Amino acid sequence: MFKEVHNGDPELEKALEIYDECFSGSPISIPTEALYKALMRKSGGPRIAVLTERTVIAMAVFSRFDKGSIIWYLAVMREARRKGYGSLMVRSIADVLKEEVQPGPSAFMYAEFDGELAPFWESNGFRVLPVRYFQPPIAGTWVSLKLGAKSLYFPSKLTGKAVEEFVREIYTEVDRVKELDEEHARTTLNDCLNMSEVTFTSTHRT
């Protein structure tokens, strides 16, 4: 069963345990305590969802913004991996977001991930964008990641300008990057603007 969880829900503690098991010590993650505090915001903060099968077996952290939505983290408990739960989580989040947004530039779901995980995201309808994407410092340094995008409606077209506006929103509203002229931020934003338009169809072909 898929559900969003909130403060006081019994599934939240187990979800954070799975997150910690998967991402503890990773340069792309925030400390579990900081994530918990962010999730406790009454509005504007990240959202957390779980899949349960007698117990919590998978979790994801995602957010919806004016310019698009993003899955920040997705984790499946170790003994339940490679059974399709991660893909089910992606589909379930997409279904939720589709009920909340209208077709247009904001109707895209993004994900940032290590390159070795690209096959998983591509198998779930994401296109790895031709952008040198850098995650702003969490552990003291900018981290080079892949940026993927998935349309919530078909057919649709994603322009470089729309991607640039989304990344700019993330950099300024979430990561609080003060200097967008910093080399890593400038590289990412320029690559977004120079990106060729991508067409999404139900078969994910250009």
Side-chain angles (χ1 to χ4, degrees), residues 49-82:
V50 298
L51 287 177
T52 61
E53 194 175 87
R54 293 187 299 276
T55 185
V56 176
I57 54 177
M59 60 82 65
V61 179
F62 68 103
S63 298
R64 180 168 65 85
F65 299 101
D66 290 339
K67 304 298 183 180
S69 304
I70 187 168
I71 297 178
W72 299 109
Y73 303 105
L74 191 157
V76 178
M77 64 187 303
R78 195 178 308 278
E79 53 267 40
R81 292 173 187 170
R82 295 182 175 84

PDB file of all heavy atoms in Angstrom, residues 49-82:
ATOM      1  N   ALA A  49       6.751   9.548   1.491  1.00  0.00           N
ATOM      2  CA  ALA A  49       5.770   8.514   1.191  1.00  0.00           C
ATOM      3  C   ALA A  49       6.395   7.156   1.448  1.00  0.00           C
ATOM      4  O   ALA A  49       7.620   6.996   1.406  1.00  0.00           O
ATOM      5  CB  ALA A  49       5.312   8.620  -0.262  1.00  0.00           C
ATOM      6  N   VAL A  50       5.542   6.177   1.702  1.00  0.00           N
ATOM      7  CA  VAL A  50       6.028   4.821   1.981  1.00  0.00           C
ATOM      8  C   VAL A  50       5.197   3.806   1.218  1.00  0.00           C
ATOM      9  O   VAL A  50       4.064   4.063   0.811  1.00  0.00           O
ATOM     10  CB  VAL A  50       5.971   4.492   3.495  1.00  0.00           C
ATOM     11  CG1 VAL A  50       6.857   5.426   4.293  1.00  0.00           C
ATOM     12  CG2 VAL A  50       4.528   4.519   4.007  1.00  0.00           C
ATOM     13  N   LEU A  51       5.800   2.645   1.022  1.00  0.00           N
ATOM     14  CA  LEU A  51       5.081   1.450   0.598  1.00  0.00           C
ATOM     15  C   LEU A  51       5.092   0.490   1.770  1.00  0.00           C
ATOM     16  O   LEU A  51       6.141   0.267   2.386  1.00  0.00           O
ATOM     17  CB  LEU A  51       5.761   0.797  -0.605  1.00  0.00           C
ATOM     18  CG  LEU A  51       5.644   1.496  -1.958  1.00  0.00           C
ATOM     19  CD1 LEU A  51       6.444   0.729  -3.008  1.00  0.00           C
ATOM     20  CD2 LEU A  51       4.192   1.622  -2.405  1.00  0.00           C
ATOM     21  N   THR A  52       3.941  -0.048   2.090  1.00  0.00           N
ATOM     22  CA  THR A  52       3.862  -0.975   3.211  1.00  0.00           C
ATOM     23  C   THR A  52       3.333  -2.328   2.749  1.00  0.00           C
ATOM     24  O   THR A  52       2.495  -2.418   1.849  1.00  0.00           O
ATOM     25  CB  THR A  52       2.941  -0.437   4.326  1.00  0.00           C
ATOM     26  OG1 THR A  52       1.616  -0.260   3.794  1.00  0.00           O
ATOM     27  CG2 THR A  52       3.450   0.892   4.859  1.00  0.00           C
ATOM     28  N   GLU A  53       3.856  -3.362   3.368  1.00  0.00           N
ATOM     29  CA  GLU A  53       3.388  -4.732   3.160  1.00  0.00           C
ATOM     30  C   GLU A  53       3.611  -5.434   4.490  1.00  0.00           C
ATOM     31  O   GLU A  53       4.625  -6.092   4.707  1.00  0.00           O
ATOM     32  CB  GLU A  53       4.174  -5.400   2.038  1.00  0.00           C
ATOM     33  CG  GLU A  53       3.551  -6.693   1.533  1.00  0.00           C
ATOM     34  CD  GLU A  53       4.292  -7.257   0.334  1.00  0.00           C
ATOM     35  OE1 GLU A  53       5.267  -8.009   0.553  1.00  0.00           O
ATOM     36  OE2 GLU A  53       3.895  -6.942  -0.800  1.00  0.00           O
ATOM     37  N   ARG A  54       2.679  -5.202   5.392  1.00  0.00           N
ATOM     38  CA  ARG A  54       2.799  -5.587   6.808  1.00  0.00           C
ATOM     39  C   ARG A  54       3.752  -4.661   7.565  1.00  0.00           C
ATOM     40  O   ARG A  54       3.543  -4.382   8.739  1.00  0.00           O
ATOM     41  CB  ARG A  54       3.217  -7.045   6.971  1.00  0.00           C
ATOM     42  CG  ARG A  54       2.168  -8.038   6.491  1.00  0.00           C
ATOM     43  CD  ARG A  54       2.546  -9.477   6.816  1.00  0.00           C
ATOM     44  NE  ARG A  54       3.779  -9.857   6.173  1.00  0.00           N
ATOM     45  CZ  ARG A  54       3.836 -10.286   4.915  1.00  0.00           C
ATOM     46  NH1 ARG A  54       2.744 -10.369   4.189  1.00  0.00           N
ATOM     47  NH2 ARG A  54       4.990 -10.635   4.371  1.00  0.00           N
ATOM     48  N   THR A  55       4.808  -4.209   6.897  1.00  0.00           N
ATOM     49  CA  THR A  55       5.705  -3.210   7.461  1.00  0.00           C
ATOM     50  C   THR A  55       6.150  -2.305   6.331  1.00  0.00           C
ATOM     51  O   THR A  55       5.857  -2.560   5.154  1.00  0.00           O
ATOM     52  CB  THR A  55       6.930  -3.866   8.138  1.00  0.00           C
ATOM     53  OG1 THR A  55       7.713  -2.861   8.785  1.00  0.00           O
ATOM     54  CG2 THR A  55       7.801  -4.575   7.112  1.00  0.00           C
ATOM     55  N   VAL A  56       6.843  -1.239   6.654  1.00  0.00           N
ATOM     56  CA  VAL A  56       7.335  -0.332   5.623  1.00  0.00           C
ATOM     57  C   VAL A  56       8.478  -1.019   4.877  1.00  0.00           C
ATOM     58  O   VAL A  56       9.444  -1.482   5.493  1.00  0.00           O
ATOM     59  CB  VAL A  56       7.822   0.993   6.241  1.00  0.00           C
ATOM     60  CG1 VAL A  56       8.427   1.898   5.164  1.00  0.00           C
ATOM     61  CG2 VAL A  56       6.668   1.711   6.933  1.00  0.00           C
ATOM     62  N   ILE A  57       8.366  -1.064   3.546  1.00  0.00           N
ATOM     63  CA  ILE A  57       9.416  -1.720   2.762  1.00  0.00           C
ATOM     64  C   ILE A  57      10.140  -0.751   1.832  1.00  0.00           C
ATOM     65  O   ILE A  57      11.211  -1.061   1.313  1.00  0.00           O
ATOM     66  CB  ILE A  57       8.847  -2.888   1.937  1.00  0.00           C
ATOM     67  CG1 ILE A  57       7.676  -2.414   1.068  1.00  0.00           C
ATOM     68  CG2 ILE A  57       8.433  -4.025   2.837  1.00  0.00           C
ATOM     69  CD1 ILE A  57       7.114  -3.502   0.173  1.00  0.00           C
ATOM     70  N   ALA A  58       9.565   0.431   1.623  1.00  0.00           N
ATOM     71  CA  ALA A  58      10.209   1.424   0.760  1.00  0.00           C
ATOM     72  C   ALA A  58       9.750   2.809   1.166  1.00  0.00           C
ATOM     73  O   ALA A  58       8.658   2.982   1.726  1.00  0.00           O
ATOM     74  CB  ALA A  58       9.885   1.170  -0.713  1.00  0.00           C
ATOM     75  N   MET A  59      10.603   3.786   0.903  1.00  0.00           N
ATOM     76  CA  MET A  59      10.262   5.174   1.229  1.00  0.00           C
ATOM     77  C   MET A  59      10.820   6.088   0.152  1.00  0.00           C
ATOM     78  O   MET A  59      11.739   5.719  -0.589  1.00  0.00           O
ATOM     79  CB  MET A  59      10.816   5.576   2.593  1.00  0.00           C
ATOM     80  CG  MET A  59      12.326   5.499   2.752  1.00  0.00           C
ATOM     81  SD  MET A  59      13.257   6.932   2.105  1.00  0.00           S
ATOM     82  CE  MET A  59      12.647   8.215   3.207  1.00  0.00           C
ATOM     83  N   ALA A  60      10.245   7.272   0.063  1.00  0.00           N
ATOM     84  CA  ALA A  60      10.741   8.283  -0.867  1.00  0.00           C
ATOM     85  C   ALA A  60      10.456   9.658  -0.302  1.00  0.00           C
ATOM     86  O   ALA A  60       9.463   9.870   0.410  1.00  0.00           O
ATOM     87  CB  ALA A  60      10.093   8.142  -2.244  1.00  0.00           C
ATOM     88  N   VAL A  61      11.347  10.581  -0.614  1.00  0.00           N
ATOM     89  CA  VAL A  61      11.174  11.979  -0.251  1.00  0.00           C
ATOM     90  C   VAL A  61      11.031  12.762  -1.546  1.00  0.00           C
ATOM     91  O   VAL A  61      11.872  12.632  -2.444  1.00  0.00           O
ATOM     92  CB  VAL A  61      12.378  12.505   0.560  1.00  0.00           C
ATOM     93  CG1 VAL A  61      12.184  13.977   0.912  1.00  0.00           C
ATOM     94  CG2 VAL A  61      12.584  11.670   1.825  1.00  0.00           C
ATOM     95  N   PHE A  62       9.961  13.537  -1.649  1.00  0.00           N
ATOM     96  CA  PHE A  62       9.726  14.298  -2.865  1.00  0.00           C
ATOM     97  C   PHE A  62       9.113  15.651  -2.528  1.00  0.00           C
ATOM     98  O   PHE A  62       8.650  15.885  -1.413  1.00  0.00           O
ATOM     99  CB  PHE A  62       8.820  13.512  -3.825  1.00  0.00           C
ATOM    100  CG  PHE A  62       7.388  13.336  -3.358  1.00  0.00           C
ATOM    101  CD1 PHE A  62       6.368  14.103  -3.890  1.00  0.00           C
ATOM    102  CD2 PHE A  62       7.069  12.374  -2.398  1.00  0.00           C
ATOM    103  CE1 PHE A  62       5.044  13.933  -3.475  1.00  0.00           C
ATOM    104  CE2 PHE A  62       5.763  12.199  -1.974  1.00  0.00           C
ATOM    105  CZ  PHE A  62       4.748  12.977  -2.515  1.00  0.00           C
ATOM    106  N   SER A  63       9.127  16.553  -3.508  1.00  0.00           N
ATOM    107  CA  SER A  63       8.587  17.898  -3.317  1.00  0.00           C
ATOM    108  C   SER A  63       7.935  18.368  -4.611  1.00  0.00           C
ATOM    109  O   SER A  63       8.351  17.972  -5.708  1.00  0.00           O
ATOM    110  CB  SER A  63       9.680  18.900  -2.925  1.00  0.00           C
ATOM    111  OG  SER A  63      10.283  18.563  -1.695  1.00  0.00           O
ATOM    112  N   ARG A  64       6.941  19.216  -4.468  1.00  0.00           N
ATOM    113  CA  ARG A  64       6.333  19.871  -5.616  1.00  0.00           C
ATOM    114  C   ARG A  64       6.580  21.367  -5.518  1.00  0.00           C
ATOM    115  O   ARG A  64       6.347  21.977  -4.469  1.00  0.00           O
ATOM    116  CB  ARG A  64       4.832  19.591  -5.689  1.00  0.00           C
ATOM    117  CG  ARG A  64       4.145  20.266  -6.885  1.00  0.00           C
ATOM    118  CD  ARG A  64       2.738  19.724  -7.087  1.00  0.00           C
ATOM    119  NE  ARG A  64       1.861  20.034  -5.985  1.00  0.00           N
ATOM    120  CZ  ARG A  64       1.184  21.194  -5.852  1.00  0.00           C
ATOM    121  NH1 ARG A  64       1.305  22.144  -6.764  1.00  0.00           N
ATOM    122  NH2 ARG A  64       0.389  21.383  -4.817  1.00  0.00           N
ATOM    123  N   PHE A  65       7.047  21.972  -6.617  1.00  0.00           N
ATOM    124  CA  PHE A  65       7.341  23.394  -6.656  1.00  0.00           C
ATOM    125  C   PHE A  65       6.587  24.046  -7.816  1.00  0.00           C
ATOM    126  O   PHE A  65       5.915  23.355  -8.600  1.00  0.00           O
ATOM    127  CB  PHE A  65       8.851  23.621  -6.823  1.00  0.00           C
ATOM    128  CG  PHE A  65       9.673  23.053  -5.704  1.00  0.00           C
ATOM    129  CD1 PHE A  65      10.337  21.844  -5.859  1.00  0.00           C
ATOM    130  CD2 PHE A  65       9.776  23.707  -4.490  1.00  0.00           C
ATOM    131  CE1 PHE A  65      11.093  21.306  -4.831  1.00  0.00           C
ATOM    132  CE2 PHE A  65      10.521  23.185  -3.452  1.00  0.00           C
ATOM    133  CZ  PHE A  65      11.185  21.977  -3.618  1.00  0.00           C
ATOM    134  N   ASP A  66       6.716  25.339  -7.934  1.00  0.00           N
ATOM    135  CA  ASP A  66       6.030  26.061  -9.003  1.00  0.00           C
ATOM    136  C   ASP A  66       6.485  25.604 -10.382  1.00  0.00           C
ATOM    137  O   ASP A  66       5.698  25.547 -11.326  1.00  0.00           O
ATOM    138  CB  ASP A  66       6.264  27.573  -8.870  1.00  0.00           C
ATOM    139  CG  ASP A  66       5.550  28.170  -7.673  1.00  0.00           C
ATOM    140  OD1 ASP A  66       4.579  27.548  -7.194  1.00  0.00           O
ATOM    141  OD2 ASP A  66       5.955  29.261  -7.230  1.00  0.00           O
ATOM    142  N   LYS A  67       7.769  25.287 -10.515  1.00  0.00           N
ATOM    143  CA  LYS A  67       8.341  24.981 -11.827  1.00  0.00           C
ATOM    144  C   LYS A  67       8.452  23.484 -12.119  1.00  0.00           C
ATOM    145  O   LYS A  67       8.945  23.094 -13.168  1.00  0.00           O
ATOM    146  CB  LYS A  67       9.732  25.616 -11.949  1.00  0.00           C
ATOM    147  CG  LYS A  67       9.760  27.130 -11.702  1.00  0.00           C
ATOM    148  CD  LYS A  67       8.923  27.891 -12.721  1.00  0.00           C
ATOM    149  CE  LYS A  67       9.034  29.401 -12.486  1.00  0.00           C
ATOM    150  NZ  LYS A  67       8.222  30.169 -13.465  1.00  0.00           N
ATOM    151  N   GLY A  68       8.016  22.652 -11.201  1.00  0.00           N
ATOM    152  CA  GLY A  68       8.119  21.213 -11.389  1.00  0.00           C
ATOM    153  C   GLY A  68       8.208  20.504 -10.057  1.00  0.00           C
ATOM    154  O   GLY A  68       8.158  21.134  -8.988  1.00  0.00           O
ATOM    155  N   SER A  69       8.344  19.184 -10.096  1.00  0.00           N
ATOM    156  CA  SER A  69       8.450  18.372  -8.886  1.00  0.00           C
ATOM    157  C   SER A  69       9.732  17.560  -8.943  1.00  0.00           C
ATOM    158  O   SER A  69      10.331  17.399 -10.006  1.00  0.00           O
ATOM    159  CB  SER A  69       7.242  17.437  -8.771  1.00  0.00           C
ATOM    160  OG  SER A  69       6.021  18.163  -8.801  1.00  0.00           O
ATOM    161  N   ILE A  70      10.134  17.027  -7.795  1.00  0.00           N
ATOM    162  CA  ILE A  70      11.379  16.269  -7.767  1.00  0.00           C
ATOM    163  C   ILE A  70      11.312  15.167  -6.718  1.00  0.00           C
ATOM    164  O   ILE A  70      10.717  15.355  -5.646  1.00  0.00           O
ATOM    165  CB  ILE A  70      12.590  17.193  -7.481  1.00  0.00           C
ATOM    166  CG1 ILE A  70      13.913  16.427  -7.628  1.00  0.00           C
ATOM    167  CG2 ILE A  70      12.476  17.853  -6.118  1.00  0.00           C
ATOM    168  CD1 ILE A  70      15.142  17.321  -7.646  1.00  0.00           C
ATOM    169  N   ILE A  71      11.879  14.014  -7.058  1.00  0.00           N
ATOM    170  CA  ILE A  71      12.121  12.959  -6.075  1.00  0.00           C
ATOM    171  C   ILE A  71      13.546  13.139  -5.585  1.00  0.00           C
ATOM    172  O   ILE A  71      14.496  13.014  -6.353  1.00  0.00           O
ATOM    173  CB  ILE A  71      11.936  11.560  -6.690  1.00  0.00           C
ATOM    174  CG1 ILE A  71      10.486  11.359  -7.150  1.00  0.00           C
ATOM    175  CG2 ILE A  71      12.311  10.482  -5.667  1.00  0.00           C
ATOM    176  CD1 ILE A  71      10.228  10.017  -7.813  1.00  0.00           C
ATOM    177  N   TRP A  72      13.674  13.454  -4.307  1.00  0.00           N
ATOM    178  CA  TRP A  72      15.000  13.684  -3.737  1.00  0.00           C
ATOM    179  C   TRP A  72      15.699  12.367  -3.401  1.00  0.00           C
ATOM    180  O   TRP A  72      16.870  12.175  -3.704  1.00  0.00           O
ATOM    181  CB  TRP A  72      14.881  14.514  -2.459  1.00  0.00           C
ATOM    182  CG  TRP A  72      14.295  15.866  -2.604  1.00  0.00           C
ATOM    183  CD1 TRP A  72      13.060  16.267  -2.167  1.00  0.00           C
ATOM    184  CD2 TRP A  72      14.895  17.029  -3.196  1.00  0.00           C
ATOM    185  NE1 TRP A  72      12.862  17.584  -2.452  1.00  0.00           N
ATOM    186  CE2 TRP A  72      13.966  18.084  -3.078  1.00  0.00           C
ATOM    187  CE3 TRP A  72      16.132  17.266  -3.805  1.00  0.00           C
ATOM    188  CZ2 TRP A  72      14.233  19.359  -3.542  1.00  0.00           C
ATOM    189  CZ3 TRP A  72      16.400  18.541  -4.285  1.00  0.00           C
ATOM    190  CH2 TRP A  72      15.454  19.576  -4.153  1.00  0.00           C
ATOM    191  N   TYR A  73      14.968  11.496  -2.722  1.00  0.00           N
ATOM    192  CA  TYR A  73      15.548  10.238  -2.255  1.00  0.00           C
ATOM    193  C   TYR A  73      14.516   9.123  -2.410  1.00  0.00           C
ATOM    194  O   TYR A  73      13.317   9.335  -2.191  1.00  0.00           O
ATOM    195  CB  TYR A  73      15.963  10.327  -0.785  1.00  0.00           C
ATOM    196  CG  TYR A  73      16.937  11.434  -0.488  1.00  0.00           C
ATOM    197  CD1 TYR A  73      16.531  12.603   0.154  1.00  0.00           C
ATOM    198  CD2 TYR A  73      18.274  11.323  -0.863  1.00  0.00           C
ATOM    199  CE1 TYR A  73      17.420  13.627   0.411  1.00  0.00           C
ATOM    200  CE2 TYR A  73      19.171  12.348  -0.611  1.00  0.00           C
ATOM    201  CZ  TYR A  73      18.739  13.497   0.025  1.00  0.00           C
ATOM    202  OH  TYR A  73      19.633  14.513   0.270  1.00  0.00           O
ATOM    203  N   LEU A  74      14.995   7.952  -2.776  1.00  0.00           N
ATOM    204  CA  LEU A  74      14.149   6.766  -2.865  1.00  0.00           C
ATOM    205  C   LEU A  74      14.966   5.596  -2.333  1.00  0.00           C
ATOM    206  O   LEU A  74      16.109   5.388  -2.761  1.00  0.00           O
ATOM    207  CB  LEU A  74      13.719   6.523  -4.316  1.00  0.00           C
ATOM    208  CG  LEU A  74      12.617   5.471  -4.551  1.00  0.00           C
ATOM    209  CD1 LEU A  74      11.922   5.743  -5.882  1.00  0.00           C
ATOM    210  CD2 LEU A  74      13.181   4.057  -4.556  1.00  0.00           C
ATOM    211  N   ALA A  75      14.399   4.867  -1.405  1.00  0.00           N
ATOM    212  CA  ALA A  75      15.141   3.758  -0.783  1.00  0.00           C
ATOM    213  C   ALA A  75      14.211   2.592  -0.511  1.00  0.00           C
ATOM    214  O   ALA A  75      13.048   2.779  -0.128  1.00  0.00           O
ATOM    215  CB  ALA A  75      15.797   4.223   0.519  1.00  0.00           C
ATOM    216  N   VAL A  76      14.732   1.392  -0.710  1.00  0.00           N
ATOM    217  CA  VAL A  76      13.999   0.156  -0.439  1.00  0.00           C
ATOM    218  C   VAL A  76      14.799  -0.635   0.582  1.00  0.00           C
ATOM    219  O   VAL A  76      16.032  -0.717   0.488  1.00  0.00           O
ATOM    220  CB  VAL A  76      13.811  -0.673  -1.728  1.00  0.00           C
ATOM    221  CG1 VAL A  76      13.081  -1.983  -1.431  1.00  0.00           C
ATOM    222  CG2 VAL A  76      13.048   0.138  -2.777  1.00  0.00           C
ATOM    223  N   MET A  77      14.111  -1.204   1.561  1.00  0.00           N
ATOM    224  CA  MET A  77      14.835  -1.978   2.568  1.00  0.00           C
ATOM    225  C   MET A  77      15.599  -3.110   1.892  1.00  0.00           C
ATOM    226  O   MET A  77      15.166  -3.672   0.887  1.00  0.00           O
ATOM    227  CB  MET A  77      13.881  -2.499   3.649  1.00  0.00           C
ATOM    228  CG  MET A  77      12.838  -3.473   3.188  1.00  0.00           C
ATOM    229  SD  MET A  77      11.637  -3.886   4.507  1.00  0.00           S
ATOM    230  CE  MET A  77      12.711  -4.498   5.793  1.00  0.00           C
ATOM    231  N   ARG A  78      16.747  -3.437   2.451  1.00  0.00           N
ATOM    232  CA  ARG A  78      17.702  -4.315   1.784  1.00  0.00           C
ATOM    233  C   ARG A  78      17.084  -5.638   1.297  1.00  0.00           C
ATOM    234  O   ARG A  78      17.278  -6.056   0.162  1.00  0.00           O
ATOM    235  CB  ARG A  78      18.871  -4.608   2.737  1.00  0.00           C
ATOM    236  CG  ARG A  78      20.091  -5.200   2.063  1.00  0.00           C
ATOM    237  CD  ARG A  78      21.205  -5.412   3.072  1.00  0.00           C
ATOM    238  NE  ARG A  78      21.494  -4.221   3.840  1.00  0.00           N
ATOM    239  CZ  ARG A  78      22.265  -3.217   3.418  1.00  0.00           C
ATOM    240  NH1 ARG A  78      22.804  -3.280   2.222  1.00  0.00           N
ATOM    241  NH2 ARG A  78      22.489  -2.165   4.195  1.00  0.00           N
ATOM    242  N   GLU A  79      16.314  -6.300   2.151  1.00  0.00           N
ATOM    243  CA  GLU A  79      15.799  -7.621   1.798  1.00  0.00           C
ATOM    244  C   GLU A  79      14.645  -7.570   0.792  1.00  0.00           C
ATOM    245  O   GLU A  79      14.202  -8.610   0.296  1.00  0.00           O
ATOM    246  CB  GLU A  79      15.348  -8.380   3.054  1.00  0.00           C
ATOM    247  CG  GLU A  79      14.377  -7.623   3.927  1.00  0.00           C
ATOM    248  CD  GLU A  79      15.082  -6.840   5.018  1.00  0.00           C
ATOM    249  OE1 GLU A  79      16.148  -6.248   4.748  1.00  0.00           O
ATOM    250  OE2 GLU A  79      14.551  -6.819   6.146  1.00  0.00           O
ATOM    251  N   ALA A  80      14.160  -6.355   0.466  1.00  0.00           N
ATOM    252  CA  ALA A  80      13.040  -6.234  -0.476  1.00  0.00           C
ATOM    253  C   ALA A  80      13.469  -5.651  -1.824  1.00  0.00           C
ATOM    254  O   ALA A  80      12.631  -5.367  -2.670  1.00  0.00           O
ATOM    255  CB  ALA A  80      11.941  -5.359   0.133  1.00  0.00           C
ATOM    256  N   ARG A  81      14.771  -5.498  -2.032  1.00  0.00           N
ATOM    257  CA  ARG A  81      15.243  -4.887  -3.268  1.00  0.00           C
ATOM    258  C   ARG A  81      15.124  -5.847  -4.449  1.00  0.00           C
ATOM    259  O   ARG A  81      15.061  -7.054  -4.288  1.00  0.00           O
ATOM    260  CB  ARG A  81      16.695  -4.418  -3.093  1.00  0.00           C
ATOM    261  CG  ARG A  81      16.799  -3.252  -2.125  1.00  0.00           C
ATOM    262  CD  ARG A  81      18.227  -2.880  -1.789  1.00  0.00           C
ATOM    263  NE  ARG A  81      18.258  -1.875  -0.733  1.00  0.00           N
ATOM    264  CZ  ARG A  81      19.357  -1.492  -0.090  1.00  0.00           C
ATOM    265  NH1 ARG A  81      20.516  -2.038  -0.403  1.00  0.00           N
ATOM    266  NH2 ARG A  81      19.293  -0.577   0.860  1.00  0.00           N
ATOM    267  N   ARG A  82      15.100  -5.235  -5.665  1.00  0.00           N
ATOM    268  CA  ARG A  82      14.996  -5.970  -6.931  1.00  0.00           C
ATOM    269  C   ARG A  82      13.704  -6.768  -7.046  1.00  0.00           C
ATOM    270  O   ARG A  82      13.659  -7.833  -7.677  1.00  0.00           O
ATOM    271  CB  ARG A  82      16.218  -6.876  -7.135  1.00  0.00           C
ATOM    272  CG  ARG A  82      17.511  -6.092  -7.295  1.00  0.00           C
ATOM    273  CD  ARG A  82      18.702  -7.005  -7.532  1.00  0.00           C
ATOM    274  NE  ARG A  82      19.897  -6.217  -7.807  1.00  0.00           N
ATOM    275  CZ  ARG A  82      20.685  -5.689  -6.877  1.00  0.00           C
ATOM    276  NH1 ARG A  82      20.394  -5.880  -5.600  1.00  0.00           N
ATOM    277  NH2 ARG A  82      21.746  -4.974  -7.209  1.00  0.00           N
TER     278      ARG A  82
END
